[in-house]
């Protein structure tokens, strides 16, 4: 599990999309907790911090696998452009094909 929160190494497309699907499901649970739990807002903040760290580390590793600079991760933080960049980063192939 520590591999998922690390910025070292590479991430294949399958792992990249699995992490984003997990993050989406976790956010749905977190937002539901806000409606039904007295401390739901604290739970949502804790889950959101974990998801942000997990997503950023996965994007950095995916960029490294694609042969791009990890600094491209900053593009995902730009409103509207970040969503498109996330899809593009998940669709591009590996740089040399050995990681896939």
């Amino acid at each position: 599990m520590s591999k998922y929160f690390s910025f070292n190494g590479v991430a294949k497309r399958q792992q990249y999309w699995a992490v984003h699907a997990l993050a989406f499901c976790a956010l749905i649970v977190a937002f539901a907790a806000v409606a039904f739990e007295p401390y739901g807002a604290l739970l949502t903040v804790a889950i959101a911090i974990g998801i942000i760290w997990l997503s950023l580390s996965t994007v950095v590793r995916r960029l490294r696998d694609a042969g791009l600079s990890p600094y491209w991760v900053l593009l995902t933080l730009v409103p509207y452009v970040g969503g498109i960049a996330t899809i593009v980063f998940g669709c591009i192939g590996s740089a040399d094909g050995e990681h896939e």
Side-chain angles (χ1 to χ4, degrees):
M1 190 67 178
S2 64
K3 173 183 151 185
Y4 290 104
F5 290 96
S6 172
F7 287 84
N8 298 325
V10 295
K12 299 178 185 178
R13 279 187 273 189
Q14 180 182 4
Q15 180 185 8
Y16 178 82
W17 288 114
V19 165
H20 280 78
L22 174 73
F24 180 74
C25 293
L27 281 177
I28 289 175
V29 169
F31 287 135
V34 170
F36 299 112
E37 295 288 327
Y39 297 106
L42 292 175
L43 178 65
T44 302
V45 169
I47 290 174
I49 290 170
I51 287 172
I52 289 169
W53 188 269
L54 177 66
S55 295
L56 286 177
S57 67
T58 305
V59 171
V60 166
R61 289 184 288 119
R62 178 71 196 125
L63 288 169
R64 198 172 287 127
D65 181 57
L68 298 171
S69 170
Y71 290 109
W72 280 98
V73 73
L74 298 174
L75 192 62
T76 63
L77 302 175
V78 177
Y80 302 111
V81 175
I84 296 169
T86 300
I87 293 170
V88 170
F89 294 156
C91 292
I92 54 178
S94 294
D96 55 7
E98 72 181 37
H99 299 296
E100 295 271 354

